[in-house]
Amino acid sequence: MSASDTKERIIIFDTTLRDGEQSPGASLSIAEKLEIAQQLAVLGVDIIEAGFPVSSPTQFEATRQVAEQVTGPTIAGLARANKEDIEAAARAVEPAKKKRIHTFIATSPIHMEHKLHKTSEEVLKMAVEAVAFAKTFTDDVEFSPEDACRSEMPFLIEILTACIEAGATTLNIPDTVGYILPYEYGLMIRQLSSDVPGIDKCIISTHCHNDLGMAVANSLAGVRNGARQVECAVNGMGERAGNAALEEIVMAIHTRPNFLIEEDYTKVLTTNINTKQIHRTSQLVSQLTGFVIQPNKAIVGANAFAHEAGVHVDGILKEKSTYEIMTPETIGLSGSRMVLGRHTGRHGFTDRCEHLGFKLTENELERAYQRFLEVADKKKEVFDEDIAAIINDEIRIVEQIYKLEYLHVVSGTGTLPTASVKIKIKGEIKQAAACGDGPVDAAYEAIRVATGLSPKLESYSIRAVTGGKEALGEATVKIKDDGRIFIGRGVSTDIIEASAKAYIDAINRMVSTKKGQQPELKAGL
Ligand SMILES: [Zn+2]
């Protein structure tokens, strides 16, 4: 970048809490959404799409609380092109200092005919009325023609023109089904930016799905051809194969700022993102959703900065840039790791929590500190990852209807694995013992007997939070009940205990989701 370069900013629109939360099994509690939203504000996203308020009372409340409590970013609520949806979105985002209503309707022949049962004239009229109605609540109105990439270009131009006249300020071009290729998407954005009257006064946005693995490439092709807002989600979460990964978009712009503007290398692109918060944000989203990050995931995977090949390692030791296009420090992985131990005082621990970005109440801090001391007793060195795991485990956000009081497991070669548990249920202690195929199986069977519940175990995984034989183990389980999936997590230096806690956590989530409650309506955008 030279002094003569002019900067053009790309608006980062984060949809982790809306599209990302639509990933099967990723439902978050209101408190968890708030925690993620606070971190997104620290990360520096421009817009947080907090939810689809009309879809359920919980979605409404979550969006409303984000609008009330999170400052900095614009808070957006999603709405289909009808009055009820728009009113719900408007009421939910109303407390925010900067608010946006994002309304959408499908414009592809296949969606208009088979899903909406409407003609293109009717769709156009609904879109215009929706934008005009949204405009009565806020100036900041975004319109999305759903399934834009399979829509006919003349109709797309017509509906976008009409929506601009009705007051839309951002026009989003979603590749709802993840079908388009980068070259085509770039051409499409370029044609719209030249052929839609008035579009030069609006922001063109991308919203690309990853069904063919093109979400990030398509979004950047859009940027190269004039889009100035990118919709994306942390860790690439989203419907099916997911949405464009926020961290990949941001680091591509950060690493190649000169090369994303067509034929003009004097301009550089930039974002408002504090890249040093990327790693932490990614970890938080992974922990709260239970979606484990694949090790080879770009930017945030555990191996993203691990060089194994001897010739590479040799090169890096001589000169970092031989094989490293970004430094781990840029995304907040500190080169020198901070280590705490049992002699770390309350003050040092509090400092570290603040440095890691956790905002804890006095009470939460005290609980986390006590738990830290227990862990530090067993494990000599406590790393940042351990602290994050402890806090996320200890500051449980779901109500603990069932609480593990005691667990004893006997297993070994030649013995039948047996477990006994005590579980506190509303002040009352229930005991049970059971045997199983292995120690975890025995513990789970004992929990089922004690609670009288038997949700189907869909998946189980355990990982070490850091290296070493004393590492904290983090168990993640998915259980299924009534067709719905619930994720639970548990952390301990004892992996059987971590597994039992994860199972009970999932059960608590299942029980606290009121029985008979209808599954939320999912927006197809
Ligand atoms: Zn989407």
Side-chain angles (χ1 to χ4, degrees):
M1 201 188 297
S2 77
S4 62
D5 290 339
T6 52
K7 288 188 179 181
E8 254 190 66
R9 196 157 66 79
I10 299 298
I11 298 164
I12 299 294
F13 177 115
D14 179 277
T15 187
T16 309
L17 297 178
R18 204 278 300 162
D19 209 326
E21 207 224 4
Q22 289 183 210
S23 310
S27 72
L28 295 159
S29 69
I30 292 175
E32 288 166 335
K33 283 190 173 184
L34 260 176
E35 194 178 344
I36 291 175
Q38 296 286 12
Q39 177 57 27
L40 290 171
V42 173
L43 177 68
V45 308
D46 299 284
I47 295 145
I48 295 174
E49 187 163 58
F52 180 25
V54 84
S55 64
S56 76
T58 312
Q59 281 271 332
F60 179 88
E61 194 51 34
T63 309
R64 174 99 186 170
Q65 288 196 23
V66 170
E68 276 166 358
Q69 297 179 39
V70 179
T71 52
T74 297
I75 309 301
L78 186 68
R80 288 168 300 186
N82 66 56
K83 279 201 162 182
E84 190 197 351
D85 279 38
I86 293 167
E87 260 163 6
R91 274 190 290 123
V93 299
E94 194 270 325
K97 217 169 178 183
K98 292 180 279 179
K99 43 187 163 273
R100 171 177 295 187
I101 295 173
H102 178 192
T103 186
F104 72 99
I105 191 164
T107 51
S108 63
I110 190 165
H111 277 222
M112 289 192 290
E113 185 187 336
H114 298 289
K115 193 178 79 175
L116 299 175
H117 309 292
K118 297 218 181 298
T119 64
S120 54
E121 291 76 26
E122 288 168 311
V123 166
L124 180 94
K125 186 164 173 279
M126 286 171 75
V128 168
E129 283 172 2
V131 169
F133 186 54
K135 200 75 179 175
T136 63
F137 300 100
T138 172
D139 270 341
D140 190 344
V141 176
E142 173 169 336
F143 172 71
S144 290
E146 185 192 347
D147 202 16
C149 295
R150 293 191 300 172
S151 302
E152 286 163 357
M153 192 44 111
F155 181 54
L156 214 46
I157 292 172
E158 190 186 354
I159 198 166
L160 292 176
T161 307
C163 286
I164 294 170
E165 281 168 11
T169 45
T170 298
L171 299 163
N172 182 37
I173 311 301
D175 181 23
T176 306
V177 294
Y179 169 75
I180 209 161
L181 298 178
Y183 177 71
E184 283 176 286
Y185 191 67
L187 283 182
M188 194 175 164
I189 297 294
R190 179 179 289 204
Q191 188 179 352
L192 291 172
S193 64
S194 71
D195 292 3
V196 175
I199 205 165
D200 52 315
K201 290 177 191 68
C202 302
I203 297 287
I204 302 175
S205 171
T206 67
H207 180 112
C208 299
H209 276 270
N210 208 30
D211 298 68
L212 292 173
M214 301 287 166
V216 168
N218 283 339
S219 307
L220 294 174
V223 165
R224 194 172 154 89
N225 286 280
R228 285 295 173 268
Q229 172 179 290
V230 175
E231 302 198 356
C232 47
V234 176
N235 299 339
M237 290 193 70
E239 286 265 20
R240 308 181 310 278
N243 209 296
L246 178 146
E247 61 279 5
E248 294 177 24
I249 298 283
V250 168
M251 288 312 291
I253 293 171
H254 186 88
T255 309
R256 308 296 305 274
N258 292 83
F259 297 93
L260 289 164
I261 298 184
E262 185 95 340
E263 288 150 16
D264 186 352
Y265 301 123
T266 62
K267 279 187 191 159
V268 297
L269 292 183
T270 178
T271 67
N272 262 352
I273 298 294
N274 175 359
T275 60
K276 287 192 162 38
Q277 291 290 336
I278 286 178
H279 178 71
R280 176 168 150 57
T281 312
S282 162
Q283 288 291 311
L284 181 72
V285 170
S286 168
Q287 279 159 358
L288 294 185
T289 58
F291 272 50
V292 178
I293 302 164
Q294 74 196 59
N296 57 326
K297 164 83 179 62
I299 318 296
V300 292
N303 294 348
F305 292 95
H307 296 272
E308 287 276 346
V311 62
H312 287 208
V313 173
D314 182 56
I316 289 213
L317 288 175
K318 287 176 181 143
E319 167 55 44
K320 275 192 170 188
S321 59
T322 46
Y323 287 100
E324 208 168 67
I325 61 164
M326 309 168 264
T327 64
E329 289 79 12
T330 323
I331 64 151
L333 281 167
S334 53
S336 55
R337 305 227 295 175
M338 185 82 181
V339 181
L340 303 185
R342 52 193 300 246
H343 299 296
T344 304
R346 196 177 307 257
H347 186 71
F349 178 76
T350 309
D351 261 7
R352 200 63 205 151
C353 290
E354 271 169 26
H355 181 85
L356 291 173
F358 289 103
K359 291 186 189 116
L360 303 178
T361 64
E362 200 100 325
N363 188 353
E364 288 169 339
L365 196 60
E366 183 54 33
R367 270 158 52 209
Y369 182 62
Q370 291 309 325
R371 183 75 189 281
F372 158 76
L373 290 177
E374 282 170 30
V375 171
D377 249 349
K378 293 181 188 153
K379 188 176 185 297
K380 280 163 199 67
E381 295 178 313
V382 182
F383 298 105
D384 288 349
E385 296 92 321
D386 296 318
I387 294 176
I390 290 169
I391 292 175
N392 286 322
D393 189 52
E394 194 58 30
I395 313 307
R396 293 316 303 163
I397 292 163
V398 63
E399 190 197 349
Q400 294 202 5
I401 301 164
Y402 297 91
K403 193 164 185 280
L404 184 67
E405 289 283 307
Y406 169 89
L407 170 72
H408 183 71
V409 177
V410 183
S411 81
T413 318
T415 41
L416 184 64
T418 326
S420 46
V421 296
K422 278 187 195 167
I423 292 176
K424 200 172 183 180
I425 308 167
K426 292 174 190 155
E428 196 188 327
I429 299 283
K430 290 256 164 105
Q431 291 195 58
C435 30
D437 293 336
V440 174
D441 188 45
Y444 282 17
E445 186 52 32
I447 292 168
R448 284 193 281 267
V449 175
T451 58
L453 297 167
S454 48
K456 187 170 176 281
L457 184 66
E458 284 279 299
S459 72
Y460 165 85
S461 68
I462 187 136
R463 71 172 187 114
V465 174
T466 54
K469 70 179 172 55
E470 302 295 342
L472 277 178
E474 183 182 67
T476 306
V477 301
K478 279 186 192 171
I479 59 172
K480 198 169 185 181
D481 181 60
D482 249 352
R484 297 189 67 177
I485 288 178
F486 301 90
I487 293 174
R489 286 183 315 105
V491 171
S492 173
T493 48
D494 177 328
I495 59 168
I496 312 294
E497 186 184 310
S499 306
K501 286 170 80 175
Y503 193 48
I504 292 176
D505 184 40
I507 289 176
N508 278 326
R509 282 161 197 274
M510 177 185 92
V511 174
S512 62
T513 304
K514 286 187 199 84
K515 284 279 173 199
Q517 186 185 311
Q518 289 300 309
E520 281 172 1
L521 183 68
K522 309 262 180 180
L525 194 59

